[in-house]
Amino acid sequence: MIDLVNVKKRFGAVEAVQGVTLHAAPGEILGLLGPNGAGKTTTIRMVTGYLPPTSGSVTVAGYDSVRDSLKLRSQIGYMPESAALHPEMRVVDHLDFCGRIHLMDRRRRRVGLDRVIERCWLQEVRRRRVGQLSKGYRQRVSLACALIHDPPALVLDEPTSGLDPTQIIETRKLVRELSSDRTMILCSHILPEVERTCDRVVLLARGRVRAEGSIPELTGASAGTSVILDLGRGGFSGPATEQWLRDQPEVLSARSIGESDQFLVELASRGGVEARASISRRIIEAGFDLREFRSERPSLEGLFLRALDDGADKEPDS
Amino acid sequence: MSRVWAIASREFAAFFRLPVGWVVIALYLTLTGVVFALGVVRPGQPASLRAFFQISVWLLTFVAPAISMRLFSEEIRTGTLEPLMTAPVSDWHVVLGKYFGAVGFLVAMLAPTLIYVVTLAMLSTPDYGPMLAGYLGLLLLGLLYLAIGLVASSLTSNQILAFLGSLFFLLLMRALTTNGAQMVGPPVDTALYALSVDLRLAEFAKGVIDTSNVIFFLTASVWFLVIGVVSLESRRWR
C-alpha cells in the first residue's frame, strides 16, 4: 500500500534521507521512530507528496509521488504534528474546507462531517473558532481534517501530543479501529505509544533505517543484552560511574536511572553470558560494590538507544 | 476549477474574519470619501471622478500590499501550507485560489465607491465613459499589484516583510518608469515608458480603453502569477 524503495533526499550538501526502503501493508500500522534529525519528517513529507525524493520511488496505492502526485495525495490523510489549522475559522467550516479541496460534493461532505465530528469527539465545539480551542481539541480537529475524505492511507505525526490521559486512550482506540480498513504510518517520540499501537516499527537514525520489524521480533533479538546494575560508587560520582561503564569493551550504552545508583546498561549481545561475567569481574576489580545485577526485560527504549549508538558508530568521520 | 473556487472562497472569507480586512476597507473608504467630498462635489467643478481615481491609484500602492501580505506568509508561519500542499491540489490551484480570493476582496472594497457615481448622477449629468474606463483601469492596476504582492508573500513567513517588500517594489517600479525614464533619456526611456503603469492609467482616466493597455496589465499579472507558482514550487526543493 505504502512503498518506499531506496529513497534519498538531499537538501544542498545535506543528505537528510539516505536510501530508505520500507513497506506498509493494507491494514497495518507502521510506527516510524527516531530522534530529532533522524529524517522522519522528511520521510513523511515524501510519503504525503509534499516533497519529491531526490532518487528512489515512493508509491501509495500504486500511485507514484512524482508522476501521479495529485492522485497519490487523494489517497492520503495527513495529520501534521503541530495541528496546523486556520484559527479564524469555525470547526465545521474548517472541516468543510478540507472536504472541498478533496473534491467531495455537498452530500458527501455533510455525511463525512457528521462522521468525523462524532469519531473525533468534536460535538461540543463544532461551532467554535479553532483559535479558541485547547491544544487537545485542535489535535482532534487536525485528525478530523485528515479523516474527512475517508482516505485508504493515513499518516499521523504525534497524534496524541497535547491530549489528556483519557483522550490518549480514546485516540489509541480510534487509531486501532481506523487501521482495520486502511494503512497507517504513525510517527511518534513516545515509545509506549508506539508499542501499544503499532504492528511494526521502523527505526530511523541519521537518515537510515537502523532496525525494522514487529516489536516482539525487535525486542526478542536483543534479549539478554539489557541489564540493570545497582552499584556502590566507591568514591566515584554518578556521571563518572556512567562514563566508566561506557568505556568498558562489553558495554554498548549506559545511563543512570533516576537519582539512585542504578544504571541501565546495554551489553554487546554477541558476548552473551561471557560479556555478563566479564563486566561483573571488571566492576568488582574497579572497586565498586556490585549490589544488584539483573537482566532487564527487552524494551523498545533499549533498542532505540542501541540503534542510535550504532548509527553514531557507523557515521563516517567529518 | 472547484479546488480553485474552494481556496478562493476560504481566502475571501478570511479577510472578513480578521480585523485587517475591515481596517483596510475602512481606511480606503474614509480617504477616498474625503477626496470625493472635498475635491469632487464642488460647485462649478465638472462632474468627474478623476480626483477619486488619482488618489485611488496612490492608495492602491499601499492597499494592495496590505491585502496580499498574508496570502502565503501567514500559511508559512502557521504551518497550514503543508497540509494544503499535501491535499490533491496543484501549485496553480493554490496560487490562483489565493489570488482570486484577494481580487474578490479588492472588488468588495471598490464596490461601495459606486455610491460616488450615484451621488454625481443625482447632482448632475456626468459622462459615464471616463468613469467606466477609470474603474477598469483601477481594477487592472489592482490585479497587477496583487500579483506582485502574492510573489512577495510567497517568499517569506513574515507578513511585515512581505508588505514592505511589495511596497518597495511598487514604488521603485513607478519611480523607474517615470522619473527614472526622464533621467536616463533615449533609447532606454522608451522601454521604461512602455512599462509605466502611470502613463497607461492616464489613458483610462481620459476615458480611452486601449486594448494594448488592457493586455499589458493582464499579461504582466499572469507573469507575476507564474513567478508565484515557481516560488511556491521551489519550497519543495529547499
Side-chain angles (χ1 to χ4, degrees):
Chain A
M1 180 73 187
I2 299 177
D3 288 286
L4 281 75
V5 179
N6 196 23
V7 170
K8 295 181 182 175
K9 183 65 188 177
R10 180 177 282 280
F11 298 102
V14 178
E15 196 166 34
V17 176
Q18 306 171 24
V20 166
T21 296
L22 59 86
H23 168 76
E28 182 179 48
I29 307 178
L30 180 71
L32 204 55
L33 275 176
N36 293 332
K40 297 192 304 291
T41 302
T42 307
T43 304
I44 277 183
R45 284 177 170 174
M46 288 190 285
V47 171
T48 57
Y50 184 65
L51 291 176
T54 307
S55 66
S57 77
V58 178
T59 55
V60 176
Y63 296 114
D64 184 86
S65 69
V66 178
R67 287 194 304 275
D68 307 305
S69 181
L70 292 189
K71 284 180 181 166
L72 175 142
R73 288 187 243 166
S74 69
Q75 302 294 309
I76 287 187
Y78 174 44
M79 178 191 175
E81 180 185 0
S82 58
L85 302 164
H86 297 282
E88 77 281 0
M89 293 181 86
R90 293 185 193 282
V91 171
V92 282
D93 295 335
H94 211 301
L95 295 173
D96 188 62
F97 171 66
C98 292
R100 288 178 72 190
I101 58 174
H102 280 94
L103 293 182
M104 295 168 74
D105 60 35
R106 190 185 296 266
R107 194 189 58 79
R108 273 188 66 210
R109 288 205 306 274
R110 200 166 45 235
V111 172
L113 209 133
D114 289 341
R115 177 175 48 82
V116 295
I117 280 183
E118 191 190 333
R119 280 199 124 167
C120 299
W121 318 286
L122 292 167
Q123 294 92 335
E124 287 172 26
V125 298
R126 59 183 295 156
R127 302 295 309 168
R128 295 258 297 273
R129 292 196 194 283
V130 170
Q132 297 172 335
L133 301 180
S134 66
K135 192 180 176 192
Y137 270 120
R138 287 205 298 272
Q139 283 288 102
R140 289 192 249 168
V141 175
S142 186
L143 179 60
C145 283
L147 290 171
I148 185 92
H149 58 295
D150 203 14
L154 268 177
V155 177
L156 309 178
D157 197 354
E158 305 283 0
T160 57
S161 169
L163 300 184
D164 65 38
T166 317
Q167 292 165 350
I168 287 175
I169 292 165
E170 290 294 323
T171 304
R172 275 187 203 139
K173 211 168 105 187
L174 174 62
V175 167
R176 296 282 345 168
E177 276 174 34
L178 291 170
S179 74
S180 62
D181 56 353
R182 72 196 81 213
T183 309
M184 297 173 72
I185 291 184
L186 190 147
C187 192
S188 180
H189 287 94
I190 307 165
L191 301 185
E193 178 77 42
V194 174
E195 278 186 297
R196 283 172 203 171
T197 317
C198 299
D199 303 311
R200 228 156 42 80
V201 172
V202 168
L203 184 56
L204 283 179
R206 293 179 175 85
R208 292 175 193 272
V209 174
R210 301 294 175 189
E212 184 181 358
S214 67
I215 290 160
E217 277 169 14
L218 291 175
T219 51
S222 66
T225 57
S226 293
V227 292
I228 288 181
L229 303 178
D230 188 342
L231 302 180
R233 295 177 192 161
F236 283 84
S237 67
T241 308
E242 198 174 306
Q243 189 56 50
W244 182 88
L245 285 167
R246 283 182 186 153
D247 292 341
Q248 303 314 301
E250 300 87 354
V251 173
L252 293 172
S253 68
R255 66 186 179 85
S256 166
I257 307 171
E259 294 175 359
S260 68
D261 294 335
Q262 290 194 333
F263 298 87
L264 176 65
V265 175
E266 290 288 321
L267 297 175
S269 56
R270 61 183 175 276
V273 177
E274 277 182 33
R276 278 184 267 178
S278 166
I279 190 68
S280 310
R281 277 197 303 276
R282 286 174 192 277
I283 287 168
I284 291 162
E285 283 165 14
F288 292 102
D289 295 329
L290 182 56
R291 295 195 289 242
E292 188 177 354
F293 188 116
R294 77 182 141 88
S295 291
E296 171 67 346
R297 189 183 71 82
S299 69
L300 199 55
E301 189 177 4
L303 181 81
F304 183 85
L305 292 170
R306 198 168 66 246
L308 298 189
D309 287 344
D310 286 351
D313 293 345
K314 289 169 191 166
E315 202 63 21
D317 293 337
S318 55
Chain B
M1 199 59 196
S2 54
R3 288 152 170 157
V4 173
W5 177 242
I7 295 168
S9 54
R10 196 212 74 76
E11 204 63 47
F12 178 76
F15 282 111
F16 294 99
R17 290 187 183 118
L18 296 164
V20 66
W22 294 105
V23 169
V24 166
I25 287 183
L27 283 176
Y28 175 77
L29 291 180
T30 304
L31 289 170
T32 56
V34 168
V35 168
F36 180 74
L38 301 178
V40 176
V41 191
R42 289 173 65 187
Q45 286 285 317
S48 153
L49 284 176
R50 184 169 281 205
F52 158 72
F53 287 126
Q54 280 174 347
I55 188 72
S56 285
V57 167
W58 265 108
L59 286 176
L60 264 189
T61 312
F62 297 88
V63 166
I67 295 171
S68 60
M69 65 182 184
R70 58 174 298 283
L71 290 177
F72 281 105
S73 299
E74 182 67 3
E75 298 248 15
I76 298 167
R77 187 184 67 79
T78 57
T80 47
L81 189 62
E82 190 177 337
L84 180 61
M85 302 292 281
T86 55
V89 292
S90 69
D91 295 352
W92 268 109
H93 290 140
V94 176
V95 166
L96 285 179
K98 290 193 162 284
Y99 182 64
F100 289 151
V103 170
F105 179 78
L106 178 73
V107 172
M109 187 184 78
L110 291 177
T113 66
L114 290 174
I115 195 89
Y116 305 152
V117 179
V118 174
T119 308
L120 274 188
M122 288 166 68
L123 296 174
S124 61
T125 47
D127 182 357
Y128 292 105
M131 289 188 190
L132 183 68
Y135 270 108
L136 179 63
L138 211 53
L139 184 65
L140 289 169
L141 184 71
L143 291 180
L144 175 59
Y145 281 7
L146 287 176
I148 291 170
L150 179 142
V151 173
S153 181
S154 71
L155 296 172
T156 175
S157 60
N158 187 320
Q159 288 191 49
I160 305 299
L161 271 184
F163 173 79
L164 293 175
S166 51
L167 178 62
F168 177 76
F169 185 88
L170 296 181
L171 292 173
L172 185 71
M173 185 178 79
R174 295 187 70 183
L176 277 177
T177 54
T178 50
N179 301 353
Q182 283 172 9
M183 286 166 66
V184 293
V188 182
D189 64 340
T190 314
L192 289 175
Y193 283 134
L195 294 172
S196 170
V197 294
D198 293 271
L199 292 180
R200 291 177 187 277
L201 285 171
E203 298 284 311
F204 285 100
K206 288 181 212 161
V208 178
I209 300 177
D210 186 338
T211 319
S212 69
N213 289 332
V214 175
I215 291 172
F216 167 82
F217 280 108
L218 292 179
T219 311
S221 303
V222 170
W223 269 113
F224 278 103
L225 291 180
V226 170
I227 295 171
V229 170
V230 171
S231 167
L232 194 60
E233 195 177 334
S234 73
R235 302 194 72 80
R236 298 180 191 275
W237 302 96
R238 280 183 250 162

